[in-house]
Amino acid sequence: MIDQIIPSLIAFILVAVLSPFFIALLRKLKLLQPIRKELPANHQLKKGTPLMFGIILLTGLIVSILFSPTPIMYFLAVTYILFGFIGFLDDFWKASRQDPLGVSSRTKLILQFLFTGTLLFYVVKELGIDTMVRITGNVSFDLPMAVYIVVIALFVVGSANAINFTDGLDGLLGVVAIPTYFFFFVISDTPEVKLYSLVMIGCLLGFLIYNLFPAKAFMGDTGSLAIGGSLSFLAVIEKVEILIPLLFIIYFAEQLSVILQVASFKKTGKRIFRMTPIHFHYGLKYGWSENTIVTVFGFVSWVCTFICLAYWKFVLHG
């Protein structure tokens, strides 16, 4: 345990200490957040807040690799960097051009599927991850490699984008992601996964010092897509795909609200929610503050994490 706690503390301290300097650099480079016109008035006040603050989380990768320079750790780092690169392209476009739309969704999806397919092939061929999908301790499906890569690629890209949708309020994704990383820290028998998960928790705790309401800087897609990719691949490595709908329930609720809203408006001309992703709905319809929404969503994430831990222990390994 101490082998994971020390790197996590180091990552926390580094992020906490270095963040003010990085935020100042983002301001100097004028990499600032543009705000969509349709967002509520309280969000319009956030225009000009430094964007791409998620880059600071790369500190965790450096610490993890220094303490455990192994193939699995390098794989986790590459996964984070590749998804973060897609987010970086989007954030840089937004900040440099002050264009809230960023890079086209089509371009981002093509890159995500390209990276995901390559990473999945490596996971199966080089890291020896099997192509089984486990339902219970006694029930599983062994898929052909090609089918497995296609199915899991859809899962990874969908999950990564769902997690990306969650980054819409000050501190929201950080608060919700910590329980998810904690789940993988608890269940894994792989030292590298334990170390990586706890280091990411340390990074996010240091990050939240500056990202909780009122945020001094925004994570941006640079961080949220990277977190999405890394969490999705942790599920693949640990063979807990069956738990993802519950473990990722907040992320999928955010994504599903957008899908339902678009489908309803196209078909009936009416909106189901005041605004999507759904975190905006609670503020506009019920008057919840950002801190209230973040607290409630974080609580739900913790509850689902403990339910998943129980299923993992008593059903998958019972």
Side-chain angles (χ1 to χ4, degrees):
M1 175 72 81
I2 195 71
D3 293 339
Q4 289 102 36
I5 291 177
I6 290 176
S8 179
L9 286 174
I10 291 173
F12 168 77
I13 292 169
L14 286 174
V15 171
V17 171
L18 295 176
S19 286
F21 300 100
F22 186 60
I23 292 172
L25 177 62
L26 290 173
R27 285 193 178 280
K28 185 176 181 179
L29 296 175
K30 296 184 178 180
L31 296 173
L32 310 176
Q33 173 74 59
I35 302 295
R36 288 158 36 207
K37 294 180 180 179
E38 65 269 21
L39 289 179
N42 60 322
H43 284 267
Q44 298 301 325
L45 299 175
K46 299 180 182 183
K47 184 176 182 179
T49 302
L51 186 60
M52 301 165 65
F53 185 34
I55 294 176
I56 197 69
L57 298 177
L58 287 171
T59 305
L61 298 185
I62 297 170
V63 171
S64 297
I65 290 172
L66 288 175
F67 276 85
S68 181
T70 64
I72 292 181
M73 190 62 78
Y74 282 120
F75 172 79
L76 291 171
V78 168
T79 299
Y80 188 97
I81 290 169
L82 288 177
F83 278 85
F85 171 72
I86 299 170
F88 173 83
L89 293 178
D90 194 45
D91 285 340
F92 189 77
W93 181 289
K94 291 175 183 176
S96 62
R97 304 185 179 216
Q98 285 299 289
D99 175 12
L101 297 178
V103 176
S104 71
S105 297
R106 181 181 179 181
T107 299
K108 289 187 288 187
L109 283 174
I110 289 173
L111 289 174
Q112 287 174 50
F113 276 111
L114 177 63
F115 292 160
T116 299
T118 304
L119 290 167
L120 283 172
F121 184 81
Y122 179 84
V123 159
V124 175
K125 297 295 288 185
E126 300 298 329
L127 296 184
I129 302 299
D130 63 54
T131 56
M132 284 189 177
V133 176
R134 292 171 175 80
I135 309 301
T136 69
N138 299 317
V139 179
S140 61
F141 299 96
D142 192 3
L143 301 176
M145 182 175 174
V147 175
Y148 178 83
I149 288 178
V150 170
V151 171
I152 301 303
L154 290 170
F155 147 73
V156 168
V157 172
S159 298
N161 282 285
I163 292 171
N164 186 40
F165 275 124
T166 308
D167 182 37
L169 297 179
D170 295 359
L172 180 58
L173 180 54
V175 168
V176 173
I178 285 174
T180 318
Y181 278 114
F182 176 76
F183 171 82
F184 292 112
F185 168 73
V186 171
I187 70 164
S188 184
D189 292 325
T190 306
E192 294 92 337
V193 172
K194 280 187 171 295
L195 172 62
Y196 176 78
S197 298
L198 202 60
V199 165
M200 286 306 299
I201 290 173
C203 283
L204 287 171
L205 288 173
F207 170 86
L208 284 171
I209 295 173
Y210 306 94
N211 187 241
L212 287 173
F213 182 85
K216 296 177 176 63
F218 295 144
M219 179 182 292
D221 287 8
T222 305
S224 59
L225 266 179
I227 289 173
S230 73
L231 285 174
S232 300
F233 269 97
L234 284 176
V236 173
I237 291 172
E238 294 299 324
K239 306 307 298 179
V240 291
E241 297 94 338
I242 188 63
L243 292 177
I244 294 310
L246 183 59
L247 185 64
F248 287 11
I249 192 167
I250 293 294
Y251 315 128
F252 287 145
E254 298 273 25
Q255 186 179 52
L256 184 60
S257 69
V258 175
I259 294 171
L260 291 175
Q261 184 90 319
V262 171
S264 175
F265 189 76
K266 284 184 176 180
K267 187 172 183 178
T268 68
K270 296 180 180 179
R271 293 179 172 85
I272 301 173
F273 307 101
R274 290 283 296 274
M275 183 176 287
T276 57
I278 200 170
H279 54 254
F280 290 123
H281 176 76
Y282 288 98
L284 291 171
K285 185 173 178 63
Y286 302 108
W288 289 13
S289 67
E290 287 196 39
N291 284 335
T292 298
I293 297 169
V294 170
T295 300
V296 171
F297 280 34
F299 176 76
V300 171
S301 185
W302 275 111
V303 169
C304 291
T305 292
F306 284 114
I307 294 173
C308 287
L309 284 172
Y311 187 95
W312 174 83
K313 181 176 179 62
F314 297 109
V315 180
L316 284 178
H317 292 267

